[in-house]
Amino acid sequence: MGQIRPSIFFHSNLDSPDEWRASLATEFEDFTFSVGNDVASPESVDVALVWTLPDDGLQRFVNLRAILSLGAGIDQLDLERLPKHVPIARLVDESLTRTMVDYAKTAVYRYHRRFHFFERQSQNGRWTFISPTLTAETSVGILGLGEIGRAIALALQREGFAVYGWSRSPKHLAGIMTYTGGDGLKSMVGRSNIVLNVLPLTDETRCILCRELFAQFEKGTCLINMGRGMHLVESDLLEAIASGRVDAATLDVASVEPLPLTHPFWGHPDILITPHVAGISRPTTAVAMIAANIRRAMAGERLLHEVDLARGY
Ligand SMILES: NC(=O)c1ccc[n+]([C@@H]2O[C@H](COP(=O)([O-])OP(=O)(O)OC[C@H]3O[C@@H](n4cnc5c(N)ncnc54)[C@H](OP(=O)(O)O)[C@@H]3O)[C@@H](O)[C@H]2O)c1
């Protein structure tokens, strides 16, 4: 148990404050936990634990020491509205990574074993034999080799898939061919049967899944988007599917969530939508990193997984 008495402000439209309060109680003997407008003395708040920002931002917390995101990304926070001098950290959590890996494996196997094709065939009463292939014959190109992308790459490699990965800085991962830069991305997607995106959303990565990139795909490539909806130019995907460049897509994220009922992705025979469920963090496991960062903030130390605002992630 720590001896510090942090004052924590919590705001999320997704996460349960009660679960977070209970998990924090396993780490701190004494702490203040405020939710919404119910903050007795805003000037004593040390840490903001938030998914999105409250309507009035965080400006009233004049002595804030850290902003801790309840998500792996920070794109949901309006950076312009954040106090400039307060460090921000994103969430890295074992449950989140494991659920993302499970989702990636499920989506990859569905294409590898052609379940998407058999789903279409069974809807039309067709018995079409296609011989199964070995995992080594299916290549998966992963955009993003951070906490989550690296775990997905290693898990797929252990399953025997041919795995490639693309990141900003060079990476050395045993048995995985890695790429950087614009030309590296083109080469990687051109040799991938399945392209899987798990990048953060930044100015550089917005709209990265677009017509120009699809033009580099071999005909019949499958796409899995587990990053953010704004990575994908949705009309370009429809065009790429119509041309056969993209065979099918699995999309966990959309530019507008929930996806509007009138959206052409709903009911599309080659598109599987899941409602932003790929990765879920649990307070019971995530609290370890959050508590470590609260202790660091109280001690004036650098945060774990601190966001580099110049890079945007
Ligand atoms: N669908 C869901 O439920 C869900 C859940 C959790 C997370 N996510 C998404 O997953 C993302 C990644 O999370 P993470 O924890 O793995 O993030 P991370 O550890 O920060 O890793 C980000 C990776 O992307 C690479 N990257 C960033 N900008 C790039 C660029 N311009 N060009 C090439 N590579 C670039 C980074 O390269 P370097 O290694 O060189 O820095 C790094 O490998 C989140 O931001 C979020 O969008 C989705």
Side-chain angles (χ1 to χ4, degrees):
M1 289 278 186
Q3 298 305 309
I4 53 171
R5 294 189 169 86
S7 173
I8 302 159
F9 169 75
F10 180 92
H11 182 84
S12 173
N13 54 353
L14 294 177
D15 308 86
S16 154
D18 292 339
E19 285 181 26
W20 270 100
R21 188 188 283 110
S23 291
L24 285 162
T26 65
E27 294 279 345
F28 301 106
E29 264 172 35
D30 193 8
F31 63 103
T32 307
F33 189 84
S34 326
V35 184
N37 289 325
D38 175 28
V39 187
S41 54
E43 63 286 352
S44 62
V45 168
D46 299 301
V47 173
L49 183 56
V50 291
W51 167 242
T52 47
L53 290 182
D55 289 344
D56 57 351
L58 301 174
Q59 305 302 339
R60 64 193 154 133
F61 308 126
V62 290
N63 293 312
L64 203 58
R65 300 164 190 249
I67 299 167
L68 306 182
S69 171
L70 285 163
I74 52 138
D75 54 283
Q76 78 286 357
L77 295 170
D78 182 354
L79 297 183
E80 292 303 313
R81 292 176 60 218
L82 291 179
K84 300 283 174 271
H85 60 286
V86 183
I88 309 169
R90 56 193 204 83
L91 185 64
V92 173
D93 168 41
E94 169 202 333
S95 313
L96 178 64
T97 305
R98 288 191 59 171
T99 46
M100 289 291 273
V101 170
D102 287 348
Y103 182 101
K105 281 167 70 174
T106 307
V108 164
Y109 268 114
R110 178 167 169 266
Y111 291 135
H112 168 64
R113 292 305 307 263
R114 310 205 63 78
F115 274 36
H116 66 303
F117 174 77
F118 296 126
E119 282 160 17
R120 289 178 213 147
Q121 297 299 94
S122 55
Q123 273 152 19
N124 295 309
R126 292 206 190 106
W127 181 282
T128 312
F129 180 83
I130 299 181
S131 188
T133 54
L134 298 175
T135 51
E137 295 166 80
T138 295
S139 52
V140 187
I142 301 173
L143 279 69
L145 287 175
E147 291 293 332
I148 297 169
R150 188 173 55 239
I152 292 172
L154 293 171
L156 291 174
Q157 195 237 358
R158 279 195 294 273
E159 300 285 326
F161 289 98
V163 182
Y164 312 130
W166 183 71
S167 55
R168 200 163 187 254
S169 55
K171 297 279 180 295
H172 302 284
L173 296 171
I176 296 173
M177 199 182 290
T178 55
Y179 299 82
T180 56
D183 289 342
L185 178 60
K186 286 183 195 164
S187 319
M188 182 183 83
V189 300
R191 59 179 59 187
S192 303
N193 302 124
I194 300 171
V195 171
L196 186 156
N197 173 47
V198 68
L199 285 167
L201 183 65
T202 66
D203 290 344
E204 285 176 29
T205 65
R206 193 178 309 273
C207 297
I208 195 165
L209 305 173
C210 64
R211 183 181 297 156
E212 289 70 33
L213 193 69
F214 298 146
Q216 308 300 322
F217 285 18
E218 281 294 327
K219 215 167 171 3
T221 300
C222 295
L223 176 71
I224 300 168
N225 188 14
M226 304 170 60
R228 289 287 182 256
M230 298 305 286
H231 283 135
L232 174 68
V233 181
E234 295 178 341
S235 53
D236 289 2
L237 175 63
L238 291 171
E239 192 184 280
I241 291 177
S243 73
R245 184 68 57 188
V246 170
D247 181 29
T250 301
L251 309 175
D252 185 52
V253 284
S255 59
V256 179
E257 296 180 5
L259 190 67
L261 266 180
T262 51
H263 199 287
F265 284 175
W266 285 125
H268 192 298
D270 303 316
I271 296 178
L272 176 67
I273 300 289
T274 57
H276 203 142
V277 292
I280 301 295
S281 62
R282 286 162 195 262
T284 46
T285 53
V287 74
M289 193 211 118
I290 294 293
N293 263 346
I294 291 173
R295 292 194 181 92
R296 282 170 177 254
M298 299 301 280
E301 293 168 7
R302 191 177 165 79
L303 302 178
L304 300 169
H305 306 292
E306 190 168 321
V307 171
D308 176 344
L309 287 176
R311 285 188 327 186
Y313 68 98

